[in-house]
Short mmCIF file of all heavy atoms in Angstrom, two decimals:
data_model
loop_
_atom_site.label_atom_id
_atom_site.label_comp_id
_atom_site.label_asym_id
_atom_site.label_seq_id
_atom_site.Cartn_x
_atom_site.Cartn_y
_atom_site.Cartn_z
N LYS S 51 -20.15 -4.37 -6.94
CA LYS S 51 -18.99 -4.44 -6.07
C LYS S 51 -18.93 -3.20 -5.18
O LYS S 51 -19.29 -2.10 -5.61
CB LYS S 51 -17.71 -4.57 -6.88
CG LYS S 51 -17.64 -5.83 -7.74
CD LYS S 51 -17.71 -7.09 -6.88
CE LYS S 51 -17.56 -8.35 -7.73
NZ LYS S 51 -17.74 -9.59 -6.92
N PRO S 52 -18.49 -3.37 -3.95
CA PRO S 52 -18.40 -2.20 -3.05
C PRO S 52 -17.49 -1.12 -3.62
O PRO S 52 -16.51 -1.41 -4.31
CB PRO S 52 -17.82 -2.79 -1.77
CG PRO S 52 -18.04 -4.26 -1.85
CD PRO S 52 -18.04 -4.61 -3.30
N SER S 53 -17.83 0.13 -3.29
CA SER S 53 -17.03 1.25 -3.79
C SER S 53 -16.76 2.23 -2.66
O SER S 53 -17.49 2.31 -1.67
CB SER S 53 -17.77 1.97 -4.93
OG SER S 53 -18.83 2.75 -4.42
N LEU S 54 -15.69 3.01 -2.83
CA LEU S 54 -15.33 4.00 -1.83
C LEU S 54 -16.42 5.05 -1.65
O LEU S 54 -16.65 5.54 -0.54
CB LEU S 54 -14.02 4.69 -2.22
CG LEU S 54 -12.73 3.91 -1.96
CD1 LEU S 54 -11.56 4.63 -2.61
CD2 LEU S 54 -12.49 3.71 -0.48
N ASP S 55 -17.09 5.42 -2.72
CA ASP S 55 -18.06 6.50 -2.62
C ASP S 55 -19.44 6.04 -2.16
O ASP S 55 -20.24 6.86 -1.73
CB ASP S 55 -18.20 7.21 -3.97
CG ASP S 55 -17.02 8.12 -4.26
OD1 ASP S 55 -16.28 8.45 -3.31
OD2 ASP S 55 -16.84 8.50 -5.43
N ARG S 56 -19.71 4.74 -2.20
CA ARG S 56 -21.02 4.24 -1.78
C ARG S 56 -20.92 3.58 -0.40
O ARG S 56 -21.48 4.07 0.58
CB ARG S 56 -21.56 3.26 -2.83
CG ARG S 56 -23.02 2.85 -2.58
CD ARG S 56 -23.55 1.99 -3.72
NE ARG S 56 -22.74 0.81 -3.98
CZ ARG S 56 -22.03 0.61 -5.09
NH1 ARG S 56 -22.04 1.53 -6.05
NH2 ARG S 56 -21.32 -0.49 -5.26
N GLU S 57 -20.21 2.46 -0.29
CA GLU S 57 -20.08 1.77 0.99
C GLU S 57 -18.92 2.32 1.84
O GLU S 57 -18.88 2.13 3.05
CB GLU S 57 -19.84 0.27 0.79
CG GLU S 57 -21.03 -0.48 0.24
CD GLU S 57 -21.08 -0.48 -1.28
OE1 GLU S 57 -20.25 0.21 -1.92
OE2 GLU S 57 -21.96 -1.17 -1.84
N GLY S 58 -17.95 2.96 1.17
CA GLY S 58 -16.79 3.50 1.87
C GLY S 58 -15.58 2.59 1.84
O GLY S 58 -14.55 2.92 2.43
N PHE S 59 -15.66 1.47 1.12
CA PHE S 59 -14.53 0.55 1.03
C PHE S 59 -14.57 -0.16 -0.32
O PHE S 59 -15.62 -0.24 -0.96
CB PHE S 59 -14.52 -0.47 2.18
CG PHE S 59 -15.75 -1.34 2.25
CD1 PHE S 59 -15.80 -2.57 1.58
CD2 PHE S 59 -16.86 -0.96 2.99
CE1 PHE S 59 -16.92 -3.38 1.64
CE2 PHE S 59 -17.99 -1.77 3.06
CZ PHE S 59 -18.02 -2.98 2.40
N ALA S 60 -13.42 -0.68 -0.73
CA ALA S 60 -13.33 -1.38 -2.01
C ALA S 60 -12.12 -2.31 -1.98
O ALA S 60 -11.15 -2.07 -1.25
CB ALA S 60 -13.20 -0.39 -3.16
N LEU S 61 -12.19 -3.36 -2.79
CA LEU S 61 -11.08 -4.29 -2.95
C LEU S 61 -10.46 -4.05 -4.32
O LEU S 61 -11.17 -3.93 -5.32
CB LEU S 61 -11.57 -5.73 -2.85
CG LEU S 61 -10.49 -6.82 -2.87
CD1 LEU S 61 -9.71 -6.82 -1.56
CD2 LEU S 61 -11.11 -8.19 -3.12
N VAL S 62 -9.13 -3.99 -4.36
CA VAL S 62 -8.44 -3.78 -5.63
C VAL S 62 -7.30 -4.78 -5.75
O VAL S 62 -6.78 -5.28 -4.76
CB VAL S 62 -7.88 -2.34 -5.75
CG1 VAL S 62 -9.01 -1.33 -5.79
CG2 VAL S 62 -6.91 -2.03 -4.62
N ARG S 63 -6.93 -5.06 -6.99
CA ARG S 63 -5.73 -5.85 -7.24
C ARG S 63 -4.51 -4.98 -6.98
O ARG S 63 -4.44 -3.83 -7.40
CB ARG S 63 -5.72 -6.33 -8.68
CG ARG S 63 -6.76 -7.38 -8.99
CD ARG S 63 -6.30 -8.78 -8.64
NE ARG S 63 -5.08 -9.16 -9.37
CZ ARG S 63 -4.35 -10.22 -9.08
NH1 ARG S 63 -4.66 -10.99 -8.06
NH2 ARG S 63 -3.28 -10.52 -9.80
N PHE S 64 -3.54 -5.54 -6.27
CA PHE S 64 -2.31 -4.81 -5.98
C PHE S 64 -1.17 -5.82 -5.91
O PHE S 64 -0.70 -6.18 -4.83
CB PHE S 64 -2.45 -4.05 -4.65
CG PHE S 64 -1.36 -3.06 -4.37
CD1 PHE S 64 -0.63 -2.46 -5.39
CD2 PHE S 64 -1.06 -2.70 -3.07
CE1 PHE S 64 0.36 -1.53 -5.12
CE2 PHE S 64 -0.06 -1.78 -2.78
CZ PHE S 64 0.64 -1.19 -3.80
N PRO S 65 -0.75 -6.33 -7.08
CA PRO S 65 0.25 -7.40 -7.11
C PRO S 65 1.66 -6.90 -6.83
O PRO S 65 2.62 -7.21 -7.51
CB PRO S 65 0.11 -7.95 -8.53
CG PRO S 65 -0.36 -6.80 -9.34
CD PRO S 65 -1.24 -6.00 -8.42
N ASN S 66 1.75 -6.09 -5.80
CA ASN S 66 3.03 -5.63 -5.30
C ASN S 66 3.58 -6.72 -4.39
O ASN S 66 2.84 -7.30 -3.59
CB ASN S 66 2.81 -4.33 -4.52
CG ASN S 66 4.06 -3.78 -3.89
OD1 ASN S 66 4.61 -4.39 -2.99
ND2 ASN S 66 4.48 -2.61 -4.34
N ALA S 67 4.85 -7.02 -4.50
CA ALA S 67 5.42 -8.14 -3.74
C ALA S 67 5.39 -7.89 -2.24
O ALA S 67 5.64 -8.79 -1.45
CB ALA S 67 6.86 -8.38 -4.19
N GLY S 68 5.04 -6.68 -1.84
CA GLY S 68 5.06 -6.35 -0.42
C GLY S 68 6.26 -5.48 -0.13
O GLY S 68 7.26 -5.50 -0.85
N PRO S 69 6.17 -4.70 0.92
CA PRO S 69 7.20 -3.69 1.15
C PRO S 69 8.50 -4.29 1.65
O PRO S 69 8.54 -5.17 2.49
CB PRO S 69 6.57 -2.81 2.24
CG PRO S 69 5.63 -3.74 2.97
CD PRO S 69 5.09 -4.66 1.92
N ASP S 70 9.58 -3.80 1.09
CA ASP S 70 10.89 -3.97 1.71
C ASP S 70 10.88 -3.06 2.93
O ASP S 70 10.77 -1.84 2.81
CB ASP S 70 11.97 -3.54 0.72
CG ASP S 70 13.37 -3.57 1.32
OD1 ASP S 70 13.49 -3.63 2.55
OD2 ASP S 70 14.34 -3.50 0.55
N LEU S 71 10.95 -3.64 4.12
CA LEU S 71 10.74 -2.85 5.31
C LEU S 71 11.78 -1.77 5.50
O LEU S 71 11.57 -0.82 6.26
CB LEU S 71 10.69 -3.77 6.54
CG LEU S 71 9.55 -4.81 6.51
CD1 LEU S 71 9.48 -5.57 7.82
CD2 LEU S 71 8.22 -4.16 6.20
N ASP S 72 12.89 -1.87 4.79
CA ASP S 72 13.88 -0.80 4.84
C ASP S 72 13.57 0.31 3.84
O ASP S 72 14.25 1.34 3.82
CB ASP S 72 15.28 -1.36 4.55
CG ASP S 72 15.76 -2.30 5.64
OD1 ASP S 72 15.43 -2.04 6.82
OD2 ASP S 72 16.44 -3.29 5.32
N ALA S 73 12.55 0.10 3.02
CA ALA S 73 12.24 1.07 1.97
C ALA S 73 10.74 1.35 1.89
O ALA S 73 10.23 1.67 0.82
CB ALA S 73 12.76 0.57 0.62
N VAL S 74 10.05 1.24 3.01
CA VAL S 74 8.61 1.47 2.99
C VAL S 74 8.30 2.88 2.51
O VAL S 74 7.49 3.10 1.60
CB VAL S 74 7.99 1.22 4.38
CG1 VAL S 74 6.54 1.67 4.41
CG2 VAL S 74 8.08 -0.25 4.76
N LYS S 75 8.95 3.87 3.10
CA LYS S 75 8.63 5.26 2.76
C LYS S 75 9.19 5.66 1.40
O LYS S 75 8.54 6.41 0.65
CB LYS S 75 9.16 6.20 3.84
CG LYS S 75 8.42 6.06 5.17
CD LYS S 75 8.90 7.09 6.18
CE LYS S 75 8.12 6.97 7.47
NZ LYS S 75 8.56 7.97 8.48
#
Side-chain angles (χ1 to χ4, degrees):
K51 299 299 183 185
S53 75
L54 282 171
D55 284 343
R56 189 174 55 246
E57 292 87 354
F59 60 90
L61 186 72
V62 295
R63 290 275 301 168
F64 191 26
N66 177 294
D70 175 345
L71 299 186
D72 293 325
V74 171
K75 292 185 178 180

